[in-house]
Amino acid sequence: MAETADQIYARVQAGGDLPAPSVTEWDVFPWVVRDGEIAPKPLAPPAPEEPRNGEDGVDCNLCATDRPDVIWQDESWRVKHLKQSGLPVVLILEPLEHYDLPDLDEHQAAEFGVLTVRLVRIIESLPNIARCHAMRIGDGAEHLHMWFLARPKDLLSVRGSFSPDWDDILPPGPEEIWRADLAEVARKLATHGGEALV
Ligand SMILES: [Zn+2]
């Protein structure tokens, strides 16, 4: 069971001011402080596209097998976690083989859609979770990877499109709660097929 908003709030309050997350140093971070005010960075001039990780399946980090971070897998898809972060549950759905989203045939697209709905439904059924955001960006790696981010119930600062920023800002909660929630998601997903691996 994920922490309640009160538990998260008390834990954060006890830790003092939150540090700026590492994303503020990313070159794509769009804000600067100018004259004491937050302002957009100047728009960089157009430049050739940079290669993404694993283009055409060459040296793809996501094609790697024997991953300890996989919580569920079937013959075509897997769900993995990342390093524990500020939001209670953050998962990635990806194909075992190297496909980007437009590469999926109709059958694979149907599987992808069904798994996406199941994951959102399961994550939103966890206690103390209000929403599960699902998003595909893919500017960093070509291999399809769909994000699922759980937003805590009643923690209204964390609503909406800044949830991924709060995932980096908030300190991680108790590891045993996080692992229990991962196991619960994997177990429920496996009731439809595939195998829970945690
Ligand atoms: Zn790949």
Side-chain angles (χ1 to χ4, degrees):
M1 173 184 294
E3 286 180 294
T4 65
D6 286 338
Q7 288 171 321
I8 296 171
Y9 183 71
R11 188 163 51 73
V12 170
Q13 290 299 105
D17 285 346
L18 291 164
S22 61
V23 293
T24 58
E25 296 166 13
W26 293 12
D27 63 353
V28 292
F29 186 72
W31 308 106
V32 289
V33 176
R34 190 181 299 141
D35 300 329
E37 301 284 339
I38 293 175
K41 271 185 191 170
L43 182 66
E49 287 283 324
E50 296 178 1
R52 294 177 294 161
N53 174 265
E55 289 211 345
D56 302 321
V58 178
D59 295 331
C60 175
N61 292 337
L62 281 67
C63 278
T65 55
D66 294 333
R67 305 187 65 111
D69 50 3
V70 174
I71 68 164
W72 172 93
Q73 183 170 316
D74 70 5
E75 61 277 2
S76 304
W77 300 88
R78 66 185 166 207
V79 175
K80 68 183 186 187
H81 66 77
L82 302 172
K83 181 167 168 277
Q84 191 189 0
S85 50
L87 293 180
V89 174
V90 178
L91 294 171
I92 300 269
L93 169 66
E94 63 191 23
L96 300 187
E97 293 187 34
H98 190 91
Y99 296 106
D100 199 352
L101 187 57
D103 303 330
L104 301 182
D105 65 25
E106 298 286 295
H107 176 71
Q108 293 166 318
E111 289 182 333
F112 178 67
V114 168
L115 285 167
T116 295
V117 172
R118 280 181 190 155
L119 271 167
V120 169
R121 184 185 296 136
I122 289 168
I123 293 169
E124 290 191 352
S125 74
L126 293 172
N128 303 322
I129 301 300
R131 295 289 292 170
C132 172
H133 305 313
M135 61 184 193
R136 175 266 192 181
I137 299 178
D139 266 338
E142 182 178 80
H143 192 131
L144 170 61
H145 53 290
M146 182 82 161
W147 291 81
F148 296 84
L149 298 100
R151 198 266 289 167
K153 180 174 178 287
D154 300 335
L155 208 59
L156 302 188
S157 296
V158 180
R159 283 176 300 171
S161 56
F162 288 105
S163 288
D165 296 74
W166 281 106
D167 184 45
D168 292 319
I169 295 167
L170 293 172
E175 182 179 345
E176 64 273 17
I177 292 178
W178 174 65
R179 292 201 179 279
D181 283 334
L182 297 184
E184 178 72 359
V185 172
R187 185 189 67 76
K188 286 185 171 173
L189 203 51
T191 63
H192 301 280
E195 185 182 4
L197 300 173
V198 290

